[in-house]
Amino acid sequence: MAEEQKTEQQTEEQQAPEHELVQSVADQLNQEKWTRATLNNYTVNNFKELDELVDNIISQGLEDEILELCEEHLHHTKNSIIALYLSGIIRLRHQAVDDSNLVMLINIFTDNHRWNIVEYLANRILDFGENRFALRTLAETYNSENQREKMYDVWERLIRVDYEEADIVRHLAEKREEEGELEDAVDYYKKALHRYINKKNFNNIKEIWHRLIQYAPEDSEFFDHAEGKIAKMVSEDRAVQLLEDLYPHYKKEGNWDRAIDILKRVLSYDSKNPWARKEIVECYKQKYADHSHLDEYIRISNLNQSWRNVHDAIADFEKHISFDSGNFVFHRSWGVGIIRKIDDDSVVVDFAKKRGHKMSLKMAVSALDILPRDHIWVLRSIADKQKLHDKVKNDPKWALRTVIKSLGNAADMKKIKAELVPYVLTQREWSSWSTKARQILKTNKEFGNLTDKPDYFMVREQPITFAEKMYNKFRAEKDFFGRVKVLDEFLEQSAEEERESTESDLFREMFEYFAGFLRSQAVVNEQVIASYLVVKRITDRFPFLNSGVELDFAHLFEEIGNVEEVFSRIDNAALKSEFLEQIKQHVTDWPDYYVRLFPYHLSRDIIFDLETRGHADRLKDMFFSIFNNYRDMREPFVWMVRHCAADDWFQSLPVEYEKLLIAMVHLLDITSREIDNRRDVSFNRKLNRQIHNYLFKSGNLADHISHADEESVNRLFSLVSDVKDLDPSLVIEIKQRVLDRFPDFKFHGEAEAEIVSRGLIVTPSSYEAKQKQLKHIHEVEVPENSQEIAEAREHGDLKENAEYKAAKERQDMLNTTAARLTEEIERAQIVRPKDVDDSAITFGTKVTLYNKDSGEQEEYTVLGPWESNPEESVISYLSPLGSKLYNHKEGEELELTINDRQYNYRVENIEVASFS
């Protein structure tokens, strides 16, 4: 028994708090007695004292110990005010979503009507970000204390975070209406209507619909959007009912186009609706009261006859009624014309090159399209060319409206250009004009994007807000990372009108798209990780937004199956950087992950963090891992050489600079050959250009030659001279630098150069191939590139126009390639098989060598740099091996040194190679 008591005592001592502050909190919890009298004696000052205690706990890093202590205490004393408050506040400071302890505490004081304490507790929660429960509690508190203005202010905040709340939005609308602020009232009524639609509460929908008819009847696009949403979410019958309530306003105002449009929408839901059919006939009669053939066309179309399909009857009538004297028409062969006369069943049209053309009405209806007078085709036909040019050039907004509406109210920049260039604007004028036009389309409220085609623009009947414009673009974008880009654009552009845009329901819907990935995660993939980063970025900036999900990166990271695969699929550079930052903050072995992820995100930030945080050794290991596999890891290798060569850590590496240059030259050759073989052309061309610039344009190769020893220069020059398709002028320039340092330097292949003084030796087939390549560049690639540059200019802002930069870079490459090919073709000397002398190793011979070191035979075909293919044992006579073998004969013993390596051969056979 004594032993058991001793064990229990030891256990209690082990469980007792060791820290003085922890002991103090434990004492307060044990001394606390929860009674109603205790509750009534609590004041706001008591909670302020607890806040000071929390600050001490945080400053001493004791949050985990206190949380554990409070949670243990709450197991047996669930209403402990101290434990509920301390644990609740600490959790909020840790940005946890769980605020249940503070909610419970607020409910305790609410039940006892201690409103001043309830107000304090609610505001403490709100200190850490907007919270629905806290805002509702605060509003109820102000209502109980009859502080109406404060309550309304809190309601304003509440509806920004509670997107399901509709009744409060309606109350705010009614308040604005009573105060005479009708514009604000209308905005609130619209917001309330959408929320009631989501709740499918038709009685409230109908009441607010009527209020909006009273205050904003002309906002047709809003009514159309709401009606479509009601038909989808409530019922089509309810949508018809609301359209029937909307229709009388437009009929009374004589707005026949809008009235007819509403009746068409009714008939789209209920094609047999007799009231709508009767009303649309009356509207047509009013709209076309002055038309000479109105009654006849109503009769011909059977618009009054219930047996005829109403939609066919309407289409038939509208086609016929558009034919009247003075109207413009379009024929696919004869162009724009004007109707001069309609007699009975015939139509007379004046076309530009076919005056007085007569055709039957039936044929005219079938073959002609009616054009409004302000159609761009009509304007190009009848307007003064100079006046139209000046109008389009000086008023791009008017021109955009005209062209877009002419094209069925849907056009992208390519279609707009096709209507203006060269008929109205020149190509040069278009370049500057289109930049202004793009900015107008992007920011002007009169223009919007098609919901299914984000690059297509439309003219809005009612001005569209920036939030609506971006929301439409967001919905039209189907790619996940495309939507990230749209949201980033929205946040960037809305900075000046932050409250108006980011507090809209539309912004919340975009935000919810990403929050949804966090709630429904099954597998943690690139979309879940990207959504976490997007949501965190937004909630950090806008604390009133609450995703309802605890943002725990460490937990998410543990769930990732393959970090490299997920990271590589994050198609957004900024998100990749943020992901790395989160790893650094939350993952203990973050340097290991930085090293693993570097090849997928070549960034100075990774280099900087590893170097400055004491992980230079990991950085060096990473470089050698890449360097030793530079053929497979060519992009990160080239990046590190280009961006880190001047860094202290890089210069301290135990590797000779010559070896780095040799690897770069080797990659230059590899990428050139892969481009020629059409393998990953875009990637290899980009890498080839970077290596080329580093070696030649930046002068790194020339600098090395200026101070390197002769053997190093010899090795490098041998490699450079054998690079496929390298500009000969660069080789000549490097050669001259070598001679400046080493006047007696012996270049491989000089003997051959003396023999073939007239130029480059080539085969007939390679000569023909190079001619075809040059012709293809001039006749196909250059025109295509010119078109690419022209189209890229249309996007405007050339400084940040990636397409334009890429097209200009390709232009430089094409010009360089064409110049080099022209020079080489001019120097080329064609050698045919019959010209080859096989008494010695020369161009066009096939040689069999016995390798005395390995005891094996090796065969090589000696041709020129155009035909060289080392993988197929075809070597150039200018290459290090080719030049060493040149002019040797059968039976000769050869001791060759190439790139510091010794070779021992015997020439066993020489014959004429097979080539054409």
Side-chain angles (χ1 to χ4, degrees):
M1 177 67 74
E3 186 65 31
E4 291 179 359
Q5 289 178 343
K6 183 178 180 180
T7 302
E8 290 179 2
Q9 183 178 356
Q10 288 175 343
T11 302
E12 289 176 359
E13 288 175 357
Q14 290 172 355
Q15 292 177 344
E18 296 181 0
H19 196 282
E20 183 179 341
L21 184 57
V22 177
Q23 182 61 58
S24 174
V25 173
D27 292 343
Q28 290 186 52
L29 292 172
N30 292 329
Q31 294 168 10
E32 180 185 34
K33 294 182 179 179
W34 194 91
T35 65
R36 189 166 297 280
T38 304
L39 195 68
N40 290 332
N41 288 331
Y42 250 89
T43 66
V44 169
N45 285 333
N46 294 128
F47 287 102
K48 290 182 178 179
E49 291 173 359
L50 290 177
D51 282 331
E52 293 178 1
L53 180 58
V54 170
D55 290 339
N56 288 332
I57 292 169
I58 300 296
S59 66
Q60 297 184 40
L62 298 173
E63 303 99 303
D64 293 339
E65 291 87 340
I66 299 299
L67 274 176
E68 184 179 353
L69 187 63
C70 290
E71 293 301 328
E72 175 63 28
H73 186 71
L74 288 170
H75 277 306
H76 53 77
T77 311
K78 65 177 183 180
N79 288 336
S80 168
I81 294 173
I82 295 174
L84 288 172
Y85 189 76
L86 291 180
S87 61
I89 293 296
I90 289 173
R91 288 187 184 280
L92 284 181
R93 293 188 73 145
H94 284 181
Q95 296 184 336
V97 175
D98 182 12
D99 57 2
S100 56
N101 286 354
L102 288 176
V103 170
M104 185 175 178
L105 189 59
I106 284 176
N107 288 334
I108 290 172
F109 284 98
T110 300
D111 291 342
N112 287 271
H113 305 290
R114 298 296 307 280
W115 300 118
N116 61 330
I117 292 179
V118 172
E119 179 184 0
Y120 182 83
L121 294 175
N123 278 318
R124 283 296 287 132
I125 293 176
L126 294 172
D127 286 340
F128 299 94
E130 299 292 71
N131 178 288
R132 299 179 192 180
F133 172 79
L135 288 169
R136 285 189 180 279
T137 299
L138 199 57
E140 291 169 6
T141 299
Y142 292 141
N143 186 42
S144 299
E145 296 181 328
N146 202 29
Q147 299 184 55
R148 308 291 288 179
E149 288 305 315
K150 286 188 175 182
M151 181 190 72
Y152 285 125
D153 290 342
V154 174
W155 275 0
E156 296 271 7
R157 295 166 62 187
L158 176 60
I159 64 172
R160 296 185 201 127
V161 296
D162 189 346
Y163 286 82
E164 296 179 0
E165 176 56 59
D167 292 337
I168 289 178
V169 180
R170 178 179 176 179
H171 291 321
L172 289 170
E174 291 168 347
K175 179 177 182 292
R176 293 292 193 276
E177 184 181 357
E178 291 172 3
E179 294 170 348
E181 298 177 8
L182 295 183
E183 186 175 342
D184 288 344
V186 166
D187 288 340
Y188 281 117
Y189 277 129
K190 287 179 179 179
K191 192 185 295 286
L193 180 66
H194 278 299
R195 296 187 180 190
Y196 281 129
I197 292 172
N198 292 335
K199 291 175 176 287
K200 302 181 182 179
N201 188 331
F202 184 71
N203 288 333
N204 285 328
I205 291 171
K206 184 175 181 180
E207 188 173 336
I208 293 179
W209 181 274
H210 281 233
R211 199 68 62 90
L212 288 169
I213 292 175
Q214 178 183 352
Y215 291 125
E218 300 304 324
D219 195 349
S220 55
E221 291 196 21
F222 171 81
F223 283 111
D224 290 346
H225 176 66
E227 162 254 309
K229 197 171 178 182
I230 291 164
K232 182 178 180 180
M233 299 189 67
V234 183
S235 75
E236 292 184 355
D237 289 342
R238 294 300 194 185
V240 168
Q241 185 178 341
L242 295 176
L243 288 172
E244 289 175 351
D245 294 340
L246 179 62
Y247 166 75
H249 168 79
Y250 295 101
K251 182 178 180 181
K252 181 180 178 182
E253 294 294 320
N255 186 341
W256 304 117
D257 287 333
R258 180 62 180 151
I260 290 168
D261 184 56
I262 291 173
L263 293 169
K264 285 181 179 179
R265 296 174 82 89
V266 171
L267 290 166
S268 70
Y269 297 124
D270 180 10
S271 62
K272 297 188 180 299
N273 188 309
W275 169 82
R277 187 159 190 157
K278 177 177 176 294
E279 287 295 322
I280 203 168
V281 172
E282 292 302 315
C283 287
Y284 279 136
K285 286 183 177 180
Q286 293 295 329
K287 179 178 179 179
Y288 298 108
D290 298 330
H291 197 289
S292 57
H293 295 75
L294 173 63
D295 293 334
E296 180 183 355
Y297 291 157
I298 290 177
R299 179 185 60 79
I300 292 174
S301 64
N302 294 305
L303 194 55
N304 273 324
Q305 305 302 315
S306 60
W307 57 265
R308 176 90 193 272
N309 178 285
V310 68
H311 303 297
D312 292 341
I314 289 173
D316 201 1
F317 171 79
E318 290 188 342
K319 186 73 173 178
H320 280 82
I321 201 68
S322 59
F323 284 88
D324 201 7
S325 298
N327 285 355
F328 289 91
V329 295
F330 176 80
H331 187 277
R332 61 181 181 180
S333 299
W334 305 323
V336 176
I338 186 171
I339 299 175
R340 287 303 181 194
K341 185 169 59 173
I342 299 179
D343 289 328
D344 297 326
D345 193 34
S346 64
V347 179
V348 178
V349 183
D350 280 345
F351 295 102
K353 296 183 180 180
K354 203 172 182 69
R355 300 279 178 176
H357 181 71
K358 189 173 183 180
M359 57 200 312
S360 69
L361 180 59
K362 184 177 181 180
M363 176 61 73
V365 169
S366 173
L368 302 179
D369 293 320
I370 296 296
L371 302 180
R373 184 171 290 272
D374 60 352
H375 195 288
I376 186 63
W377 297 349
V378 175
L379 295 176
R380 289 196 332 229
S381 300
I382 67 172
D384 179 271
K385 287 188 176 183
Q386 187 59 46
K387 289 182 178 179
L388 180 61
H389 168 272
D390 294 344
K391 179 67 175 175
V392 168
K393 185 176 181 180
N394 299 325
D395 193 349
K397 178 181 167 184
W398 171 87
L400 288 169
R401 287 181 59 89
T402 300
V403 175
I404 293 173
K405 294 187 77 172
S406 297
L407 298 176
N409 205 21
D412 60 1
M413 288 301 292
K414 188 174 182 180
K415 290 182 178 293
I416 293 170
K417 179 183 178 181
E419 298 302 328
L420 297 179
V421 179
Y423 312 103
V424 182
L425 299 174
T426 65
Q427 178 63 52
R428 177 172 293 184
E429 288 173 327
W430 166 262
S431 298
S432 58
W433 186 93
S434 62
T435 302
K436 298 176 185 176
R438 286 178 185 280
Q439 187 63 20
I440 292 171
L441 291 171
K442 185 176 182 180
T443 59
N444 192 282
K445 295 182 177 182
E446 294 183 24
F447 299 95
N449 299 87
L450 296 190
T451 55
D452 57 339
K453 294 181 179 179
D455 294 331
Y456 275 67
F457 303 96
M458 61 179 291
V459 178
R460 306 276 303 207
E461 290 184 20
Q462 295 293 327
I464 182 174
T465 66
F466 176 72
E468 289 172 320
K469 186 187 287 279
M470 296 307 297
Y471 176 70
N472 290 339
K473 188 174 182 180
F474 184 87
R475 285 201 325 174
E477 179 60 67
K478 303 305 179 187
D479 177 69
F480 176 88
F481 288 103
R483 288 189 164 187
V484 173
K485 186 177 179 181
V486 173
L487 183 61
D488 287 343
E489 183 182 351
F490 169 82
L491 292 171
E492 179 183 350
Q493 292 288 331
S494 64
E496 295 182 1
E497 45 178 339
E498 207 163 81
R499 293 185 65 84
E500 176 186 345
S501 296
T502 56
E503 292 172 5
S504 72
D505 286 8
L506 300 179
F507 171 59
R508 179 69 188 205
E509 286 191 38
M510 290 189 278
F511 173 78
E512 282 294 321
Y513 170 79
F514 297 103
F517 279 91
L518 299 180
R519 297 192 194 99
S520 60
Q521 54 168 302
V523 177
V524 179
N525 57 18
E526 66 276 6
Q527 294 182 338
V528 172
I529 291 296
S531 294
Y532 165 85
L533 298 170
V534 169
V535 168
K536 185 179 186 307
R537 181 198 300 170
I538 292 175
T539 51
D540 286 348
R541 178 174 170 183
F542 306 110
F544 63 82
L545 284 171
N546 187 344
S547 65
V549 181
E550 187 164 350
L551 299 178
D552 186 347
F553 180 83
H555 173 72
L556 275 181
F557 189 77
E558 290 175 0
E559 298 296 316
I560 300 176
N562 186 318
V563 176
E564 288 93 330
E565 182 178 346
V566 168
F567 185 73
S568 66
R569 291 178 178 174
I570 298 177
D571 189 17
N572 184 290
L575 290 182
K576 282 186 172 181
S577 296
E578 291 172 26
F579 181 65
L580 290 168
E581 183 63 30
Q582 290 294 307
I583 289 178
K584 186 171 66 178
Q585 291 180 16
H586 299 285
V587 180
T588 304
D589 53 343
W590 65 267
D592 178 57
Y593 285 101
Y594 267 41
V595 169
R596 288 164 56 184
L597 298 178
F598 175 76
Y600 306 97
H601 184 61
L602 307 175
S603 166
R604 288 291 306 186
D605 293 337
I606 292 178
I607 304 296
F608 178 80
D609 283 338
L610 288 173
E611 183 183 11
T612 59
R613 291 176 178 266
H615 300 285
D617 290 341
R618 303 287 288 276
L619 186 57
K620 293 176 181 179
D621 290 343
M622 178 179 77
F623 171 77
F624 280 112
S625 175
I626 293 171
F627 179 42
N628 293 333
N629 298 279
Y630 71 85
R631 288 190 62 157
D632 296 326
M633 303 188 73
R634 59 188 68 174
E635 187 174 23
F637 171 71
V638 171
W639 188 93
M640 293 193 82
V641 172
R642 291 174 61 229
H643 293 89
C644 304
D647 294 356
D648 292 339
W649 71 268
F650 193 95
Q651 294 190 350
S652 67
L653 292 171
V655 59
E656 296 178 7
Y657 186 56
E658 178 197 343
K659 292 184 178 180
L660 300 180
L661 290 177
I662 287 174
M664 291 287 272
V665 173
H666 188 202
L667 288 176
L668 185 68
D669 185 55
I670 290 173
T671 53
S672 294
R673 294 182 185 281
E674 293 195 354
I675 292 169
D676 195 52
N677 293 326
R678 313 306 294 174
R679 293 182 193 163
D680 295 328
V681 175
S682 296
F683 169 75
N684 280 302
R685 183 172 286 144
K686 169 185 149 188
L687 207 58
N688 185 276
R689 184 169 58 248
Q690 291 174 352
I691 300 170
H692 191 282
N693 288 342
Y694 179 83
L695 292 173
F696 301 107
K697 190 172 182 179
S698 298
N700 289 293
L701 181 59
D703 289 344
H704 179 75
I705 289 174
S706 298
H707 64 264
D709 59 50
E710 188 170 354
E711 289 186 4
S712 174
V713 171
N714 185 29
R715 286 189 290 267
L716 274 168
F717 184 81
S718 297
L719 291 172
V720 170
S721 62
D722 204 36
V723 171
K724 183 173 179 58
D725 293 337
L726 185 63
D727 186 348
S729 64
L730 292 173
V731 179
I732 294 171
E733 182 181 340
I734 295 296
K735 184 175 181 179
Q736 187 59 50
R737 281 185 174 273
V738 174
L739 290 173
D740 288 343
R741 282 207 67 206
F742 308 106
D744 298 327
F745 190 88
K746 180 70 173 176
F747 294 98
H748 297 303
E750 279 195 335
E752 172 60 20
E754 292 172 6
I755 296 172
V756 189
S757 59
R758 287 186 294 167
L760 187 69
I761 310 177
V762 301
T763 65
S765 58
S766 61
Y767 184 82
E768 183 180 353
K770 292 297 181 181
Q771 284 186 315
K772 288 181 178 179
Q773 183 182 353
L774 182 60
K775 182 178 181 182
H776 186 268
I777 289 173
H778 284 308
E779 297 182 0
V780 178
E781 295 187 61
V782 169
E784 286 179 353
N785 177 247
S786 298
Q787 181 65 26
E788 288 172 0
I789 293 173
E791 290 179 358
R793 278 200 183 102
E794 296 174 12
H795 300 316
D797 195 5
L798 300 185
K799 291 182 179 179
E800 299 184 6
N801 189 330
E803 294 178 6
Y804 178 77
K805 290 180 180 178
K808 289 294 289 182
E809 288 174 357
R810 177 163 169 75
Q811 183 185 58
D812 293 340
M813 185 273 293
L814 289 173
N815 290 338
T816 301
T817 304
R820 174 178 53 77
L821 282 173
T822 300
E823 190 268 341
E824 288 181 353
I825 289 171
E826 289 175 352
R827 292 193 305 114
Q829 176 185 357
I830 300 174
V831 172
R832 296 172 174 80
K834 65 182 180 63
D835 302 324
V836 178
D837 179 3
D838 60 0
S839 62
I841 302 173
T842 59
F843 181 97
T845 59
K846 182 176 181 181
V847 57
T848 303
L849 303 175
Y850 175 73
N851 189 322
K852 294 194 290 185
D853 296 323
S854 66
E856 296 178 354
Q857 284 190 337
E858 298 176 13
E859 289 187 349
Y860 297 99
T861 298
V862 181
L863 296 174
W866 284 359
E867 300 84 13
S868 175
N869 187 353
E871 293 179 2
E872 299 294 331
S873 296
V874 179
I875 62 174
S876 168
Y877 67 90
L878 295 175
S879 68
L881 178 58
S883 61
K884 291 279 189 180
L885 294 175
Y886 213 87
N887 277 337
H888 285 288
K889 299 180 180 182
E890 285 185 18
E892 291 188 11
E893 303 281 340
L894 307 178
E895 292 183 3
L896 311 178
T897 302
I898 300 175
N899 294 333
D900 289 338
R901 183 176 175 183
Q902 193 74 21
Y903 296 89
N904 296 295
Y905 287 120
R906 181 172 63 246
V907 182
E908 293 206 332
N909 184 59
I910 303 172
E911 61 185 71
V912 178
S914 176
F915 66 91
S916 59

